[in-house]
Amino acid sequence: MYKIIEKKVLNKDIDIMKIEAPLVARNAEPGHFVILRVDKEGERIPLTIADIEGNNVVIIYQKMGYSTQLLGKKEAGDTIEDFVGPLGQKAHIRDKKHVIGVAGGVGSAPMLPQLKAYQEKGVKISLILGARNKDYLILKEEYEAICDNIYLATDDGSEGTKGLVTDVLEPLLKEDDTIDHVIAIGPVIMMKFVTLLAKKYSRSIDVSLNPIMIDGTGMCGNCRVSIGGKTYFGCIDGPDFPGEDVDFDELMSRQSYYKDEEHVCYLRLKQ
Ligand SMILES: Cc1cc2nc3c(=O)[nH]c(=O)nc-3n(C[C@H](O)[C@H](O)[C@H](O)COP(=O)(O)OP(=O)(O)OC[C@H]3O[C@@H](n4cnc5c(N)ncnc54)[C@H](O)[C@@H]3O)c2cc1C
Ligand code: FES
C-alpha cells in the first residue's frame, strides 16, 4: 500500500498528489512513468512522474474516466493499492541550444521534468502552454522559474492568444532561428500538428506517446505504436520518441478501442 502524503485540486478536472514511494523516487528520471492501481479490483493506469520530493513522487492527473475519478476521491492520509515504477525509458535530453516545449492541457505535467533537465544543462527554454481556458493553464509558477519565454494560448481567449498552440508556434519557428528543437506533449492530435510544423520548418522534435497500456513491461503488446513503418512498444521503448515518423492517426484510432467499456465503468461510478 502507498500513502498519499498530500493532495491539491488544481482545477475542477485536475489534481496533484504526492505519494510516498521511496524506491520509485530514488530511481526516477525525467520521462519515466508509474502504473498504479487505486484498489485491489482497480485497472492499471499509467501516469507520468511529474516531480520527486525526497521520498515522495508527484503525479498530476486529469479525471478522464473511471480510474482517475476514483483516484480523485482519495485524500491525504489515504492509501492506494499499487504504485509500480519507474517505468519506460528516460527522456532524450539532447545537445541543443534553444528548446521550445509545446504542452497541451495536462501535457504540461510530463513536460515539466524534461524542461527542468534542459534548463539544468544551460539550454535556453521557451514554452507554449495551451488549454481550453485560463483555469486549465496549470503549473505556470513552476514554469516561470525555469523558462526564458512563456506563451499562453486558450481556446476561448480567456488568457493569452485566443487559438491553438500551433497558431503561436508557427511564427516563432519562422522568425526565431535560434530554436533548434521542439518537444510536444499533449493530445495526440496536437502532437501530430506540432510535428508537421516542426518538419515544415526543419526542426527536430520529440513527442511523448500515450497509447493504452496494461502491464507496462512489454508483455501484453497493447501499447504498440508505429514509427517509420516499424513497431515499438510505448511502455518499454518510450514513451518519448522522435516525432517525425510517428503514425499519429493509427495511435488515435487505437486509443478509442475500449471506449464502450470505459463509458460503462464511468456510469457505474456515477450511480
Ligand atoms: C506513459 C503515459 C503517461 C501518462 N501520464 C499522464 C499524466 O501524467 N496525467 C494524466 O492525467 N494522464 C496521463 N496519461 C493518461 C492516463 O493514463 C489516462 O488518462 C487514464 O488511464 C484514463 O483512465 P480512466 O479510467 O480514468 O479513463 P477511461 O475512461 O478508462 O479512459 C479515458 C481515455 O484515457 C485513455 N486510457 C484509458 N486507459 C488507459 C491506459 N490503461 N493507458 C493509457 N491510456 C488509457 C484512453 O485514451 C481512453 O479513451 C498517461 C498515459 C500514458 C500512456
Ligand atoms: S503496456 Fe503491455 S506491452 Fe506495453
Side-chain angles (χ1 to χ4, degrees), residues 71-92:
L71 183 60
K73 290 182 187 295
K74 296 277 182 182
E75 298 297 339
D78 292 342
T79 54
I80 57 174
E81 187 69 25
D82 288 333
F83 196 78
V84 176
L87 297 170
Q89 298 294 327
K90 61 182 181 183
H92 316 282

Side-chain angles (χ1 to χ4, degrees), residues 57-174:
V57 175
V58 180
I59 51 171
I60 298 174
Y61 56 92
Q62 180 158 10
K63 290 167 268 185
M64 292 283 292
Y66 182 77
S67 299
T68 44
Q69 295 273 353
L70 206 60
L71 183 60
K73 290 182 187 295
K74 296 277 182 182
E75 298 297 339
D78 292 342
T79 54
I80 57 174
E81 187 69 25
D82 288 333
F83 196 78
V84 176
L87 297 170
Q89 298 294 327
K90 61 182 181 183
H92 316 282
I93 306 301
R94 304 183 188 280
D95 287 328
K96 298 289 176 183
K97 292 197 167 57
H98 183 177
V99 168
I100 185 159
V102 184
V106 78
S108 51
M111 181 69 78
L112 186 61
Q114 295 205 28
L115 291 193
K116 270 189 183 166
Y118 274 108
Q119 190 250 353
E120 280 161 17
K121 269 184 81 170
V123 174
K124 183 173 177 185
I125 311 284
S126 296
L127 172 71
I128 305 170
L129 272 184
R132 64 179 95 146
N133 66 45
K134 65 178 170 43
D135 296 336
Y136 288 81
L137 291 168
I138 57 169
L139 303 176
K140 272 195 293 178
E141 273 177 31
E142 287 78 354
Y143 280 119
E144 273 158 16
I146 60 165
C147 292
D148 297 277
N149 309 301
I150 300 185
Y151 307 89
L152 305 175
T154 49
D155 296 348
D156 65 354
S158 52
E159 198 165 344
T161 301
K162 181 174 189 215
L164 302 174
V165 288
T166 42
D167 300 330
V168 181
L169 178 65
E170 179 150 23
L172 291 172
L173 291 182
K174 207 187 274 182

Side-chain angles (χ1 to χ4, degrees), residues 31-52:
H32 281 151
F33 64 95
V34 294
I35 289 199
L36 64 81
R37 279 194 314 156
V38 179
D39 57 30
K40 275 203 172 70
E41 281 77 45
E43 67 170 344
R44 299 159 196 270
I45 53 165
L47 294 173
T48 306
I49 297 174
D51 206 358
I52 299 297

Side-chain angles (χ1 to χ4, degrees), residues 155-206:
D155 296 348
D156 65 354
S158 52
E159 198 165 344
T161 301
K162 181 174 189 215
L164 302 174
V165 288
T166 42
D167 300 330
V168 181
L169 178 65
E170 179 150 23
L172 291 172
L173 291 182
K174 207 187 274 182
E175 285 152 25
D176 187 347
D177 56 15
T178 69
I179 298 172
D180 55 357
H181 188 57
V182 182
I183 306 172
I185 310 185
V188 179
I189 187 84
M190 182 207 92
M191 294 193 283
K192 173 180 170 174
F193 283 99
V194 172
T195 299
L196 288 174
L197 276 183
K199 282 164 80 168
K200 179 173 171 190
Y201 292 97
S202 306
R203 304 311 207 281
S204 57
I205 176 160
D206 286 318

Side-chain angles (χ1 to χ4, degrees), residues 8 76 86 125 135 155-156 175 208 227 256 260 262-263:
K8 262 193 247 160
I125 311 284
D135 296 336
D155 296 348
D156 65 354
E175 285 152 25
S208 182
I227 302 176
S256 55
D260 293 345
E262 286 159 356
H263 190 60

